[in-house]
Amino acid sequence: MSKNIYIITGTSRGIGEAIARRLLKEGNSVYCISRNGNPRLTVEARAKGWDVQDLSLDLTQSGEIRGLIHSIFRDIDEDDAEEIVLINNAGVIHPIREIGGDNLDDAIVRNVTVNLVAAMLVTDAFIEETIDWECSRKIVNMSTGAARRPIAGWSAYCAAKAGLEMYARNIVLEQSEEENPIKVISFSPGVVDTEMQQEIRHAKAEDFPDLAKFRAFKNEGKLLNPGTVAETLIDIIRREDFGHETLVSIRDILK
């Protein structure tokens, strides 16, 4: 019986976990990738008979990414797939500091590796593995408004996410002449009530001039619930016009 298959990075918490849980409830097959796995989700999945594979990989270990994606596809029968979707959700915000500030070379490298390099490598392997597949193939890159406007203190995050948006545009260009093109979007989920937002609110004011604004988002109840974001994204994935616009913002949908 054909089924929808999803590969999602960053599923240990927040938006990624919410997306995975929603998809599993619907009976989809989901491959979850995160640094330490998600035992909470695994236990729930076993109890409810959900089809999940919870895989542990530190995405900074870039040399191991292609092997993991290859192992996932060894487990998938193309004939069983009605649609296969990759969701590059994993992301990190740190370091939050001015350019030229404290020496945080390792944190900068980790930020760009997780937010950009790892997503590129996962995507490259995904396209390689499905290059001759006849089913629907889709890619979602989790983006942010910070990819299109600078935010003081977020230089690494802004730059990495901007790079990921350009990468999506390259995929669109290269797939445009294919008979069965892979469709891709960059999705901005807005300001969401996740652990990343907690990290932002605990930044030092001298490193992050917008600190008061982000604390106000929480205090004034302006943060989106991860479940709402997950439901919205899944609805977008299932639209017939998915990929017609490469940049998609939740603000335009929920306004």
Side-chain angles (χ1 to χ4, degrees):
M1 182 176 67
S2 60
K3 56 186 177 181
N4 292 338
I5 300 170
Y6 295 83
I7 301 170
I8 312 170
T9 65
T11 51
S12 63
R13 59 186 189 176
I15 298 172
E17 180 180 9
I19 295 169
R21 179 170 280 104
R22 169 67 185 271
L23 290 169
L24 288 166
K25 286 181 178 178
E26 297 178 352
N28 299 290
S29 179
V30 181
Y31 292 81
C32 298
I33 302 172
S34 60
R35 184 171 57 178
N36 298 313
N38 189 330
R40 176 178 59 255
L41 183 60
T42 300
V43 170
E44 184 178 357
R46 288 174 179 170
K48 297 180 178 179
W50 293 343
D51 184 10
V52 64
Q53 296 292 325
D54 189 28
L55 307 169
S56 298
L57 177 66
D58 183 343
L59 291 173
T60 64
Q61 303 302 308
S62 55
E64 299 180 15
I65 290 175
R66 191 171 298 272
L68 179 66
I69 300 302
H70 182 63
S71 70
I72 289 174
F73 278 92
R74 286 203 304 267
D75 190 53
I76 298 173
D77 187 339
E78 178 189 351
D79 294 334
D80 291 339
E82 181 175 346
E83 178 171 271
I84 185 162
V85 182
L86 168 64
I87 303 176
N88 284 309
N89 169 74
V92 295
I93 188 67
H94 287 296
I96 299 176
R97 41 80 91 174
E98 290 187 353
I99 299 170
D102 295 339
N103 186 341
L104 297 173
D105 289 358
D106 289 345
I108 294 171
V109 170
R110 179 173 182 268
N111 184 300
V112 177
T113 300
V114 173
N115 290 324
L116 176 59
V117 177
M120 291 175 65
L121 294 177
V122 170
T123 300
D124 195 80
F126 176 86
I127 293 175
E128 178 187 22
E129 294 285 351
T130 64
I131 195 165
D132 295 321
W133 286 33
E134 297 180 359
C135 69
S136 172
R137 297 165 296 158
K138 297 176 180 177
I139 298 171
V140 176
N141 289 334
M142 298 298 280
S143 191
T144 168
R148 276 152 270 132
R149 65 180 181 88
I151 296 178
W154 289 11
S155 58
Y157 185 70
C158 291
K161 288 296 188 178
L164 190 59
E165 287 199 351
M166 180 56 75
Y167 186 65
R169 293 168 64 185
N170 268 79
I171 296 171
V172 172
L173 176 64
E174 293 180 7
Q175 290 287 315
S176 61
E177 300 300 324
E178 295 294 326
E179 184 175 340
N180 179 33
I182 293 175
K183 298 179 180 179
V184 58
I185 66 169
S186 295
F187 176 67
S188 294
V191 187
V192 190
D193 196 5
T194 62
E195 289 189 26
M196 181 182 286
Q197 282 298 314
Q198 293 181 29
E199 294 170 5
I200 291 170
R201 293 194 299 273
H202 284 89
K204 297 178 181 178
E206 58 267 29
D207 293 331
F208 183 42
D210 287 339
L211 179 60
K213 180 172 72 174
F214 277 79
R215 287 180 173 174
F217 286 151
K218 177 66 172 179
N219 295 334
E220 296 171 9
K222 293 182 178 179
L223 298 178
L224 290 173
N225 182 278
T228 299
V229 175
E231 291 180 12
T232 303
L233 177 57
I234 292 168
D235 288 343
I236 292 169
I237 291 171
R238 291 174 179 162
R239 289 182 178 177
E240 290 187 4
D241 65 349
F242 177 93
H244 179 71
E245 297 288 342
T246 305
L247 301 179
V248 180
S249 174
I250 199 169
R251 291 182 178 180
D252 296 331
I253 298 167
L254 299 182
K255 63 182 179 182

